[in-house]
Amino acid sequence: MLSLAERTGDLRRYAYRLLRRLKASHRQSEVDTAELRRQRAIALRPVVRGLCGVVGSYYIVIFISHFFYEKGMDLPIMAGLGGVTAITCLSFFRWTRGAESVQRLEIATLIVSLLMYANVVVSQYLHFVPAKLIYFVLMTLVFATSAVSLRVVVPTSLLATGTMFVMAHHAGFPVLKQHIWVGVGGIVTALGMAGIMRSTIFRAVHARLVAEKHRHEAQILAHYDALTGLPNRRSFFTELDVALVGAKNGYAFDLALIDLDGFKPVNDLYGHSIGDALLIEVGKRLRAVVGSRGVVARLGGDEFALILNGQMPDDDLRRFGEDLCDTLRQTYVLGGGVCANISGSVGFVHSDPGAQWSASQMLERADYALYYAKQNLRGAPIIFDRRHENEMQDFGAVDQTLRSSDLESELYIVFQPQIDLKAQRTVSFEALARWQSEKLGPVRPDIFIRAAERSGLISDITLILLRKALVAVRDWPRDMRVSFNLSARDLRSLPAIARICDTVKASGVDPKRIEFEITETAMLSDFDQALEALALLKGMGSRIALDDFGSGYSSFGYIHRLPVDKIKIDRSFVTQLLRHDSTVKIVKTLIDLCGNLSLDHVIEGVETAAELCRLEEIGARYIQGYYFSQPMRAEAITAYLDAESWREGLKKAG
Ligand code: C2E
Ligand code: CA
Ligand code: CA
């Protein structure tokens, strides 16, 4: 099979040049001169062939007539000349069939004209008839209407008219006087007709070419993105359909979706022209990395897609994706001395072995992998695999059910305490969502939250959960705080954050008692937007905790830029705590760093006394985990707190 890149490569390069040219120049009606000459030749061809055919046929008749009218040596001379003219004309009739060169037509008309001229001159030379001098004028008119260019018309017409004058002069002044005005009139008419005819034909040819060029350009623009010159969404889908047909015939391929991280802030900060320049550069870099391996398309906004020929093994594909991400991460030097840094997330999917998937099913899977790449491992490409497939099926069912359920009654909150080891008591509870679905039974929160994030239902769900959590908090002691989880999508939308603030204000709970938990991925996908959202929450007096710290792309490098009050050290550290001394050192460093930055910390997922003991040794203060308590229903909290204060009292008494 011809590679996709080869098939579209030339066209794409042409489109790119075309788009640049269109932008740079307003002379859109300019047409290619070589093509113009070719088209002119094609338009004039029937005229020239008509001349050759008619003159050839005429001289066959003349050739025969010479046998009746000529005698002696005149017969072979005239018949020979007539015969040569007829044969030459008919040969040119053949020779110019399909001719696309003006030169070829010029040669034919020049030689035919000269042969006609020779016949008349020789005939007059052998037996001069003054009345036949008019033939020269007629010839001039024939030359003028049939010749291809003025460089044939002018010399042949002048030659014929000049010869007529010379012969008339030899015949005496009365004959010359008779022919002088006919000759002048003839040549003026001939040249005038030649000019008008040619300019009419050429104008028609030019107009047709311009129209064709515009049609062609419109066609190209319909398939290519005007900014980057890459195939657009429409031609991407065409390519994908072609690739899928190929896959059915055993030509597997890989599909990638690429989404830029951090493009929007650059666009907002520096304006659209810098944003455009950035996208153009991204397009160039993607093309450079992909090369002849496949097709790069821009689907819209900061979304790109690749169709890669052949199927790469997972490791190679992952390496390729990493190269791609590295390339996108290099600093962009844009106009006006602006330097920008962005990154890209990539999701891959292999075409399935039986090639049963449709284009939209392939895209859905690539998009799923992309979602993972964005959520879980920023910057690392993700290849859609069996695990994702199973998960997606589950998500599909969960998503459907979420939409059709009465979430107000099926969702509820459980609370898990966070203990201050120093004060030996619970200081806060994390609110954790639960869904007891009528159709599906209990659904794990990480599953339904992610499904809701994907489908956009999350903002509604967040509000339901927040209202329910705040109802419970109203019954707690006034110094008891609540931690509430926000999803990345909540932070990405200022209206969603505004609704959250309104809900808090309407609840009557002091916003200072609420701590919002956010994850790093939420911050990283659009840092500035997230900062704005956090400013709104902090503006109410609420606190911010950075959740799952250490599980992903954690970096203390940017923590000082975030308005966070607390770091939640991820459970994955606790599970390693007793196995590796290095983990103990890392957790100790994290705790110390939090102290230096005046941030609170909390260690999540502490399950055993041994873990707790180790953490106490290295200075941990706030702890959350099954060791102290599983998440509990709101109704159980009063009893839990009572028991705690009772224990506290016992300790103090002891
Ligand atoms: P998370 O925010 O990291 O929540 C902590 C999770 O760890 C909870 O799981 C909790 O039950 C579990 N956990 C607590 N202590 C221990 C322990 O000692 N051992 C172990 N193995 N696990 C422990 P859960 O409730 O299943 O929640 C899972 C995730 O779902 C949460 O992780 C959070 O990302 C998400 N989630 C839960 N509720 C909400 C919510 O209301 N909104 C949003 N946006 N996400 C939520
Ligand atoms: Ca949390
Ligand atoms: Ca967590």
Side-chain angles (χ1 to χ4, degrees):
M1 189 177 71
L2 242 177
S3 89
L4 291 170
E6 278 164 13
R7 274 193 292 106
T8 56
D10 288 345
L11 195 55
R12 193 172 58 228
R13 272 190 292 280
Y14 171 63
Y16 190 63
R17 278 204 307 274
L18 173 72
L19 290 160
R20 296 201 73 95
R21 225 174 54 216
L22 283 185
K23 266 189 230 157
S25 147
H26 291 292
R27 292 173 299 147
Q28 295 189 5
S29 60
E30 209 176 65
V31 288
D32 184 13
T33 41
E35 179 59 14
L36 187 62
R37 282 178 68 80
R38 196 177 79 86
Q39 291 296 335
R40 282 177 175 182
I42 291 170
L44 288 169
R45 193 171 61 203
V47 180
V48 173
R49 297 194 73 220
L51 172 81
C52 296
V54 170
V55 174
S57 314
Y58 173 75
Y59 275 96
I60 292 175
V61 177
I62 293 295
F63 168 74
I64 297 166
S65 74
H66 284 317
F67 289 95
F68 297 102
Y69 297 109
E70 303 289 351
K71 290 183 186 70
M73 271 310 287
D74 291 359
L75 175 62
I77 294 172
M78 288 310 296
L81 197 53
V84 167
T85 307
I87 291 167
T88 311
C89 285
L90 295 177
S91 310
F92 279 146
F93 183 76
R94 261 186 76 89
W95 190 54
T96 50
R97 187 167 60 188
E100 292 184 353
S101 133
V102 172
Q103 249 170 347
R104 184 177 278 217
L105 299 178
E106 275 179 333
I107 292 169
T109 46
L110 180 67
I111 293 176
V112 170
S113 302
L114 289 177
L115 282 170
M116 286 166 71
Y117 167 81
N119 274 278
V120 178
V121 170
V122 172
S123 158
Q124 285 290 65
Y125 181 76
L126 293 178
H127 21 73
F128 181 73
V129 181
K132 284 189 178 172
L133 283 176
I134 204 72
Y135 281 2
F136 285 107
V137 177
L138 292 177
M139 243 183 332
T140 313
L141 293 174
V142 172
F143 296 166
T145 45
S146 58
V148 175
S149 62
L150 288 180
R151 64 180 179 183
V152 175
V153 177
V154 173
T156 49
S157 302
L158 287 176
L159 182 66
T161 313
T163 309
M164 183 182 80
F165 287 156
V166 171
M167 287 189 169
H169 176 68
H170 278 297
F173 184 67
V175 179
L176 179 62
K177 209 172 100 187
Q178 248 177 10
H179 287 88
I180 199 134
W181 293 116
V182 180
V184 171
I187 199 148
V188 169
T189 313
L191 294 181
M193 274 175 66
I196 291 168
M197 207 189 82
R198 260 152 215 80
S199 79
T200 309
I201 292 177
F202 292 170
R203 238 179 293 156
V205 168
H206 189 264
R208 186 165 56 76
L209 276 187
V210 169
E212 249 170 41
K213 183 170 169 267
H214 284 173
R215 192 177 47 77
H216 186 55
E217 285 171 0
Q219 226 171 19
I220 285 177
L221 290 176
H223 289 93
Y224 287 85
D225 171 47
L227 184 66
T228 57
L230 295 173
N232 62 13
R233 198 178 180 85
R234 180 200 289 208
S235 51
F236 166 74
F237 277 101
T238 314
E239 286 297 343
L240 186 55
D241 285 340
V242 172
L244 283 169
V245 171
K248 282 197 170 55
N249 294 309
Y251 297 100
F253 70 100
D254 294 324
L255 172 70
L257 285 183
I258 300 163
D259 193 272
L260 302 182
D261 302 311
F263 167 72
K264 198 173 161 287
V266 174
N267 208 33
D268 291 347
L269 196 63
Y270 299 111
H272 291 281
S273 59
I274 292 291
D276 286 355
L278 181 58
L279 288 174
I280 292 172
E281 181 58 26
V282 166
K284 277 190 199 159
R285 290 188 189 184
L286 290 177
R287 255 201 310 250
V289 176
V290 172
S292 60
R293 270 192 260 202
V295 178
V296 184
R298 181 177 173 217
L299 300 186
D302 57 355
E303 244 184 50
F304 295 81
L306 316 178
I307 298 172
L308 302 166
N309 314 311
Q311 205 162 74
M312 278 190 249
D314 279 3
D315 283 346
D316 292 356
L317 194 58
R318 213 166 278 122
R319 255 195 305 278
F320 171 78
E322 277 158 11
D323 281 353
L324 206 80
C325 293
D326 286 347
T327 310
L328 291 177
R329 261 197 296 268
Q330 310 284 321
T331 302
Y332 294 77
V333 181
L334 307 164
V338 173
C339 290
N341 284 299
I342 57 163
S343 57
S345 306
V346 190
F348 288 107
V349 60
H350 299 298
S351 58
D352 58 320
Q356 299 300 314
W357 288 340
S358 66
S360 64
Q361 283 172 318
M362 285 279 298
L363 272 174
E364 200 185 349
R365 281 157 177 80
D367 190 48
Y368 195 86
L370 175 65
Y371 174 83
Y372 247 100
K374 268 191 139 25
Q375 295 299 312
N376 295 3
L377 297 159
R378 196 181 135 85
I382 296 285
I383 304 170
F384 186 86
D385 59 20
R386 183 123 296 281
R387 188 171 47 95
H388 296 127
E389 180 72 45
N390 296 338
E391 214 175 71
M392 216 174 84
Q393 307 291 344
D394 292 348
F395 274 0
V398 167
D399 188 39
Q400 287 296 317
T401 320
L402 269 179
R403 283 167 198 281
S404 59
S405 296
D406 176 10
L407 294 178
E408 202 57 65
S409 71
E410 292 181 10
L411 287 175
Y412 65 97
I413 301 271
V414 289
F415 296 92
Q416 189 179 32
Q418 293 180 353
I419 317 295
D420 177 357
L421 291 181
K422 199 169 156 200
Q424 295 267 309
R425 65 181 196 91
T426 299
V427 287
S428 173
F429 287 91
E430 177 174 5
L432 294 161
R434 294 292 178 263
W435 179 26
Q436 182 65 37
S437 163
E438 215 169 86
K439 260 197 214 147
L440 305 173
V443 183
R444 271 177 38 206
D446 47 345
I447 296 209
F448 77 79
I449 295 283
R450 208 174 307 153
E453 279 175 342
R454 281 177 59 81
S455 67
L457 272 179
I458 188 68
S459 0
D460 294 339
I461 289 183
T462 299
L463 287 184
I464 296 176
L465 294 171
L466 181 61
R467 266 197 304 271
K468 290 187 179 237
L470 292 175
V471 166
V473 174
R474 274 207 296 257
D475 299 336
W476 299 353
R478 296 191 70 81
D479 61 345
M480 194 61 64
R481 289 204 296 260
V482 66
S483 288
F484 187 82
N485 291 285
L486 289 184
S487 109
R489 274 189 85 131
D490 293 323
L491 285 187
R492 254 180 252 152
S493 147
L494 287 181
I497 292 292
R499 280 196 296 274
I500 288 170
C501 292
D502 291 344
T503 306
V504 170
K505 285 173 197 156
S507 71
V509 173
D510 183 356
K512 291 195 183 67
R513 295 173 65 194
I514 305 170
E515 188 168 72
F516 288 100
E517 295 193 4
I518 58 160
T519 55
E520 295 166 273
T521 41
M523 289 308 299
L524 289 167
S525 60
D526 190 343
F527 197 80
D528 293 321
Q529 165 87 48
L531 277 188
E532 251 181 274
L534 295 187
L536 285 177
L537 298 172
K538 291 215 61 149
M540 287 195 299
S542 298
R543 284 160 52 96
I544 308 293
L546 190 59
D547 204 356
D548 304 339
F549 191 81
S551 65
Y553 197 68
S554 311
S555 152
F556 258 95
Y558 67 85
I559 291 249
H560 66 280
R561 293 174 59 200
L562 294 177
V564 292
D565 304 281
K566 188 197 248 177
I567 302 287
K568 295 193 78 176
I569 297 170
D570 194 61
R571 191 167 70 86
S572 53
F573 289 109
V574 180
T575 52
Q576 301 295 315
L577 209 56
L578 302 178
R579 278 181 233 152
H580 305 289
D581 271 353
S582 57
T583 310
V584 178
K585 280 193 192 123
I586 292 172
V587 175
K588 180 166 172 21
T589 311
L590 290 179
I591 292 170
D592 292 347
L593 272 170
C594 284
N596 293 339
L597 293 168
S598 308
L599 298 174
D600 278 346
H601 66 262
V602 59
I603 321 264
E604 295 190 87
V606 178
E607 295 184 353
T608 64
E611 286 164 357
L612 180 67
C613 194
R614 206 67 211 261
L615 287 165
E616 268 189 302
E617 280 166 21
I618 56 172
R621 176 162 177 191
Y622 298 98
I623 304 286
Q624 179 181 349
Y626 293 167
Y627 176 70
F628 287 106
S629 172
Q630 294 265 350
M632 64 190 97
R633 291 274 201 161
E635 305 81 62
I637 288 190
T638 317
Y640 166 85
L641 288 177
D642 285 349
E644 189 180 68
S645 49
W646 188 71
R647 265 202 320 271
E648 225 176 300
L650 266 188
K651 260 185 222 153
K652 274 185 194 151

